Amino acid sequence: MNVDVAFLSTWALPLVFLGPLIAAVITFVIGASAVSRFIGLLVPLGVFAVSIALIIATMDGQVVVSQIAGWPGGIAIAFVGDLFSALMLAVSSLLVFTSMVFSYAAGLGIDRWFVPAVLIMTGGVYGAYATADLFNLFVMVEVALLPSYILMSRSGTLTALRAARLYLIVNLTASTLFLAGLGAVYGVTGTVNMAALAGLGVLPVVGVATGVIVIALSLKAALVPTHSWLPATYPYTSPAVTALFSGLLTKIGVYALVRIISLIYEPGQLVTVIVVIACVASMVIGVLGALGEGTIRGVLTFHMISQVGYILVGVVLAGAVGLAAVVFYLIHHTIVKTSLFLTGGTVEHEEGTGIIRRLGGLARAHPVASLAFLLAALSLIGIPPFSGFWAKLGVLNAAADAGSALVFAAALVVSVGTLGSMLKLGSGVFWGTPKGMREEDEETPSDVTVGPETVGATGVAIDVATAVEAPPVTRWRPLLVIPGLALALVSLGIGLYPEWLLSLADTAGRSLADPAAYVSAVLGGGS
Amino acid sequence: MTLAIAVGLLAAVGTWLVVRGGAVRLILGFILLGHAANLIIISAGGAFRREAPLVDGQLLAENAADPLPQAFVLTAIVITFGVTVYLLSLVARTAKQSSKVEDESIGRIEDPTDGGGRSS
């Protein structure tokens, strides 16, 4: 397989950022119509094609660089595609495509702001994955955030507006902090080029200055102790938007943290200890919070915090092994979490509520959606043969390699909590007694009817009442169900044939651990 | 030193305003915090270098101002401006929706299912 690297670096890489922006202008001028909705689907497909080409070009560890405007390396603002960026671009564009299908089915496409806003947001996200310049990263994050403010508050209800206000405040705080950190980094090093900063974190002044940026990014990634804004904002917009946000916006923070920590800091610095503690705390607090939530998206959002801990803990563990685990986990998590949000969103759209107490027994009438949930939930818990199993195995492997008993134990114990929160969703929403058949206060597990597929079922009780008179059933719209199912099947596919992604993650992890190729490509002259 | 004191004052007053709560104080606070961050970037370029880099075609590299932080700050000001305008309109919109917008914190909201869903 040959890919024209010159074409990639000259055209494709900058177009990953510019293309969605141009498309956004076009769709905004056209207004809400079939044409603009079609463009909204076409752009993520195009980015996906580019990212596949990038993966092929970089799978041997090569780095594709585009020095914007042809300035020499080190002076130009570079766009870089290495394997990590390429994989992130691929998985992001995939989830944008599926979320777009879901949004159209949910009726969001009739809003003339929706398609342009999503396109600009995704453009910013792709740009953030591709840039090799800290200030440019800041700009890309802002490009992604501005339309997200609009999407957040678009439904116009008081609840959405309040959530949008909190969301805006949190992100404004993070951005201001990021900016201050940038000033500090530039002040002590005279550059904000990420390649030029490689390894400089060992100098105390640079380490502290970069630390300000790390704190700002942790806030965006919702890592404990800066996590509490996430469950207070994400569940209060429309389900499709929550799915997009979870797959794109928090992931920029996670991606940037991985990139910056692995590039700028050296293993064994104080920052690694702090990150490990924050990650383990995230794992535990996130999963406990999820258990206490009462809505589908509440559980899923809180659980994201736990997963962020799982993803990031590998950054500071066991070098290349840990970073490979990070890459694999990040990809797995993005797919599976989006699948769960989409399936949960289907329930909300079709049943009119996301409150677990008011739902139940949906599996009988809607077996396909329930299957999608079951597959994704099993993957999230980490049961073979799903991608989640290999992802967790990677984290455990890295923890064992680094000899970190704390991380190893936390990763295992928290899995039980994940099982608990998924059981809560599964038995409360899809299995169990259909709504209206159950007293408000009857929530003891023994009361719940459990399907034969449910993992860890404690007891099966057949409710006579439900067998006699089932409520009238309306079929769910297939286009709402299919996106979530498709992503769950992708996770199953990765889990059944993990070798190719494991080897890609391994290569990506090794080039993150030893960024020599990245540094020389970015700094070493033209493309 | 002047810059450092200015940054400290702006950050302190900005933080105080944000923490006090209330929509207008919040916005003013963030404007001040944004200024503080911008001044940090300007000071990163070296406040002592402030001459024009080219005078009559002559390069004065000695005291020439560093153009990069100025470009950074320019970009940041534009972004902050845009976000501030959006924040103002959001506050105005929220005020329209609810008459008691002042000093209202978000916290946990009881029923989150009214966003975009097709109610049955």
Side-chain angles (χ1 to χ4, degrees):
Chain A
M1 285 183 283
N2 275 319
V3 173
D4 188 351
V5 173
F7 172 78
L8 270 181
S9 64
T10 320
W11 291 107
L13 212 48
L15 262 184
V16 159
F17 169 60
L18 273 181
L21 292 196
I22 295 166
V25 174
I26 294 170
T27 52
F28 188 72
V29 171
I30 295 174
S33 70
V35 179
S36 68
R37 284 196 287 278
F38 179 69
I39 294 175
L41 289 176
L42 207 59
V43 170
L45 279 185
V47 174
F48 188 71
V50 170
S51 59
I52 295 298
L54 260 181
I55 290 175
I56 294 168
T58 57
M59 62 196 288
D60 55 353
Q62 206 192 336
V63 179
V64 178
V65 180
S66 176
Q67 308 283 8
I68 301 294
W71 290 91
I75 295 173
I77 298 170
F79 269 36
V80 181
D82 66 348
L83 190 51
F84 183 37
S85 303
L87 285 169
M88 288 309 292
L89 283 174
V91 73
S92 307
S93 50
L94 180 71
L95 88 88
V96 171
F97 180 79
T98 47
S99 300
M100 283 306 249
V101 173
F102 179 91
S103 327
Y104 294 164
L108 289 174
I110 55 167
D111 181 0
R112 75 166 290 160
W113 289 87
F114 180 73
V115 175
V118 171
L119 284 173
I120 295 174
M121 182 172 88
T122 55
V125 173
Y126 303 145
Y129 291 153
T131 189
D133 182 278
L134 278 181
F135 192 80
N136 209 17
L137 178 69
F138 166 76
V139 175
M140 293 299 171
V141 170
E142 292 303 310
V143 169
L145 282 175
L146 276 169
S148 82
Y149 302 146
I150 297 172
L151 288 172
M152 190 92 200
S153 57
R154 198 56 196 146
S155 68
T157 59
L158 194 57
T159 328
L161 288 175
R162 283 175 183 163
R165 197 170 107 187
L166 176 61
Y167 178 73
L168 189 58
I169 291 165
V170 168
N171 278 299
L172 212 49
T173 312
S175 298
T176 310
L177 208 54
F178 195 144
L179 208 54
L182 272 173
V185 168
Y186 187 81
V188 293
T189 64
T191 181
V192 286
N193 187 313
M194 276 147 80
L197 291 169
L200 286 184
V202 287
L203 304 172
V205 276
V206 184
V208 170
T210 315
V212 178
I213 294 180
V214 168
I215 292 171
L217 288 171
S218 311
L219 189 58
K220 289 196 194 291
L223 194 68
V224 168
T226 52
H227 63 287
S228 53
W229 62 275
L230 192 79
T233 55
Y234 272 27
Y236 304 114
T237 175
S238 55
V241 173
T242 309
L244 277 169
F245 281 14
S246 108
L248 296 175
L249 293 178
T250 40
K251 295 300 166 293
I252 307 183
V254 174
Y255 166 87
L257 279 175
V258 173
R259 184 67 88 187
I260 287 172
I261 292 174
S262 67
L263 193 61
I264 296 179
Y265 292 107
E266 295 290 330
Q269 283 192 259
L270 178 64
V271 68
T272 61
V273 182
I274 297 171
V275 170
V276 164
I277 293 170
C279 285
V280 171
S282 294
M283 285 180 189
V284 175
I285 291 172
V287 89
L288 291 180
L291 284 170
E293 286 288 308
T295 64
I296 299 175
R297 279 191 280 161
V299 172
L300 292 177
T301 313
F302 232 116
H303 197 265
M304 270 173 71
I305 297 166
S306 168
Q307 298 281 304
V308 168
Y310 268 103
I311 297 169
L312 283 174
V313 79
V315 178
V316 287
L317 286 180
V321 181
L323 286 161
V326 169
V327 175
F328 193 95
Y329 209 112
L330 191 48
I331 291 165
H332 145 77
H333 168 78
T334 310
I335 294 170
V336 168
K337 203 73 201 196
T338 311
S339 167
L340 282 171
F341 270 120
L342 291 181
T343 308
T346 309
V347 175
E348 277 186 53
H349 276 300
E350 297 291 6
E351 298 296 313
T353 182
I355 298 173
I356 298 169
R357 209 152 36 82
R358 298 192 192 151
L359 294 163
L362 296 175
R364 288 174 207 187
H366 312 286
V368 181
S370 309
L371 178 72
F373 170 80
L374 180 73
L375 294 178
L378 289 179
S379 184
L380 194 71
I381 297 161
I383 296 201
F386 292 94
S387 58
F389 169 71
W390 302 101
K392 280 203 173 146
L393 193 66
V395 172
L396 290 176
N397 192 15
D401 255 32
S404 174
L406 172 72
V407 175
F408 195 90
L412 276 181
V413 171
V414 169
S415 293
V416 179
T418 307
L419 176 70
S421 58
M422 287 301 115
L423 266 181
K424 178 175 179 172
L425 279 187
S427 60
V429 176
F430 291 99
W431 290 275
T433 322
K435 65 175 171 179
M437 300 288 162
R438 193 166 45 177
E439 298 293 319
E440 281 294 289
D441 53 348
E442 278 181 0
E443 275 209 295
T444 47
S446 61
D447 185 49
V448 171
T449 318
V450 185
E453 311 95 320
T454 311
V455 192
T458 47
V460 180
I462 308 293
D463 195 322
V464 186
T466 55
V468 178
E469 41 168 336
V473 170
T474 48
R475 267 192 69 211
W476 288 354
R477 283 164 283 179
L479 278 178
L480 284 179
V481 178
I482 291 170
L485 181 67
L487 287 175
L489 289 176
V490 169
S491 163
L492 179 63
I494 293 173
L496 288 174
Y497 301 100
E499 291 86 5
W500 60 276
L501 189 55
L502 281 174
S503 81
L504 285 180
D506 189 49
T507 312
R510 264 187 284 125
S511 52
L512 278 173
D514 178 21
Y518 181 89
V519 171
S520 72
V522 176
L523 295 181
S527 47
Chain B
M1 195 61 192
T2 325
L3 272 177
I5 293 170
V7 168
L9 270 177
L10 284 170
V13 177
T15 311
W16 181 72
L17 282 171
V18 169
V19 173
R20 276 291 297 279
V24 176
R25 274 194 290 267
L26 191 80
I27 294 167
L28 287 175
F30 271 114
I31 293 174
L32 293 186
L33 283 176
H35 289 335
N38 288 339
L39 280 184
I40 291 177
I41 296 183
I42 283 292
S43 68
F48 56 92
R49 296 156 57 186
R50 53 179 69 187
E51 302 300 321
L54 287 171
V55 177
D56 296 334
Q58 262 188 312
L59 186 67
L60 305 171
E62 287 279 301
N63 286 321
D66 188 344
L68 206 51
Q70 301 185 3
F72 288 164
V73 166
L74 207 55
T75 316
I77 287 173
V78 173
I79 292 172
T80 318
F81 178 71
V83 177
T84 308
V85 170
Y86 187 77
L87 189 57
L88 278 167
S89 61
L90 194 67
V91 165
R93 186 75 189 278
T94 321
K96 228 190 219 170
Q97 294 262 350
S98 118
S99 48
K100 47 184 175 58
V101 60
E102 277 286 306
D103 292 342
E104 205 171 34
S105 64
I106 294 168
R108 310 321 301 269
I109 301 155
E110 286 304 316
D111 189 348
T113 51
D114 52 3
R118 195 186 65 172
S119 58
S120 59

